[in-house]
Amino acid sequence: MRSIFAVLTTFITACTIVLAQGTATMRTHSISMPYIDDELQNRWFDFGGNTIINTNQHIRLTSTKQSQLGYLWSRLPLIGDNFQVEFEFKVFGNSGHLYGDGFAMWLTKQRMTEGPVFGSTDRFQGLGIFFDTYDNERAHRHTFPYVMVMVGDGVKSYNNDKDGSDNELAGCEADFRAKGHPTRARFTYHKNNYIQLELMWRREDEWDLCFKQHDVNLPEQVYLGFSAHTGEVTDNHDIISVVTKSLPPAVKEAAPQLNKSKKNASSGGFLSVLFKLMLAIGFVGVLYAGYRFYEQKNRLKRF
């Protein structure tokens, strides 16, 4: 009995350890108040630019001042095939003023490289999620604020004039700015399976699915980062907390054949229009032939 009990105890303990490891918080990529130690540093994150640390409230990437740039980057690469990054943020400014430009979450091979894309470098390798609050192009079919994701290969460029629409993978409208309750984002990554972003902005504890994309893979080693910038328009861009967790593998999902369906639908629509056009031409031809026959018959009667 004792041996059986010992085996069962060992098995339960092992299972508990495995489950705990499957959903364990990754301290190396998580940050919360007070953010810094006695030496005004963080063991796992670097910050710079115009970033201000308020130990009781937030990490402020930019303030309501023009031409600011700030960032927060993990010191170690995020290595793992399945993980989730959930962070609380706040974007706000003076009431009634024009605001912008927004902030970004990064999972890229580059880190702490300042640039024109929400304060970070262009032509990045990895993934960028952009919380865009200012419409540069004025020709979009969606409203702002807008959240979009782009996968960079080191060559593709983020076109600021078009708000990145040229290389947008997916996105959604989300009025996350100046809310009286916490606003959060939850990004989930399963290698060789899918990426997913959920947002909490309507009200507390209510999550909306922003996008879910299949067959998106990140580089083997990526750094977790957040950055923001202001131009002529300004806003406070605050990161309140970041919690990164390792996840157990998810069941493999088949990518929906949406593009194929759209292609077939558009192809079918073109063929339908072409067929109707041919019928119309044929009908006109029959009418013309009948008219000619009628005219010829009347001529013969005269003679």
Side-chain angles (χ1 to χ4, degrees), residues 32-36 52-60 88 238-241:
S32 58
M33 300 176 193
Y35 311 117
I36 53 178
I52 298 173
I53 307 294
N54 184 322
T55 57
N56 295 320
Q57 293 185 3
H58 52 243
I59 300 171
R60 178 156 292 171
E88 182 178 344
D238 298 348
I239 301 297
I240 312 299
S241 64

Side-chain angles (χ1 to χ4, degrees), residues 6 10 30 39 68 115 159 198 217 224 244-245 272 289 302:
T10 303
S30 302
E39 297 180 357
Q68 285 208 329
N159 188 338
E198 299 165 281
N217 288 322
L224 171 63
T244 303
K245 297 179 180 180
S272 176
R302 292 173 188 172

Side-chain angles (χ1 to χ4, degrees), residues 53-112:
I53 307 294
N54 184 322
T55 57
N56 295 320
Q57 293 185 3
H58 52 243
I59 300 171
R60 178 156 292 171
L61 302 176
T62 69
S63 305
T64 52
K65 297 178 181 180
Q66 294 181 339
S67 303
Q68 285 208 329
L69 178 155
Y71 55 81
L72 173 73
W73 282 95
S74 67
R75 292 186 173 185
L76 299 177
L78 180 54
I79 302 173
D81 294 342
N82 308 278
F83 59 82
Q84 186 176 86
V85 180
E86 181 175 327
F87 60 96
E88 182 178 344
F89 62 93
K90 189 172 184 179
V91 179
F92 68 103
N94 300 324
S95 60
H97 82 305
L98 288 175
Y99 50 84
D101 286 300
F103 75 98
M105 169 192 162
W106 303 97
L107 288 166
T108 58
K109 294 183 71 173
Q110 300 88 348
R111 68 181 293 271
M112 292 182 67

Side-chain angles (χ1 to χ4, degrees), residues 1 14-15 23 86 125 142 180 200 202 210 219 258 270 302:
M1 288 293 292
C15 290
T23 57
E86 181 175 327
Q125 289 179 274
H142 57 75
M200 189 179 79
R202 297 182 190 276
C210 181
L258 294 178
F270 173 75
R302 292 173 188 172

Side-chain angles (χ1 to χ4, degrees), residues 139-151:
H140 298 292
R141 294 184 178 179
H142 57 75
T143 61
F144 281 74
Y146 188 73
V147 182
M148 64 157 282
V149 60
M150 172 181 166
V151 177

Side-chain angles (χ1 to χ4, degrees), residues 245-263:
K245 297 179 180 180
S246 60
L247 299 177
V251 176
K252 176 67 176 178
E253 296 184 6
Q257 302 297 317
L258 294 178
N259 293 334
K260 195 179 217 180
S261 300
K262 288 180 181 178
K263 185 177 179 181

Side-chain angles (χ1 to χ4, degrees), residues 114-140:
E114 297 181 4
V117 185
F118 295 92
S120 193
T121 184
D122 194 9
R123 291 183 170 84
F124 54 89
Q125 289 179 274
L127 179 143
I129 300 177
F130 310 121
F131 294 72
D132 197 347
T133 56
Y134 188 79
D135 185 356
N136 289 302
E137 188 179 21
R138 306 292 178 181
H140 298 292

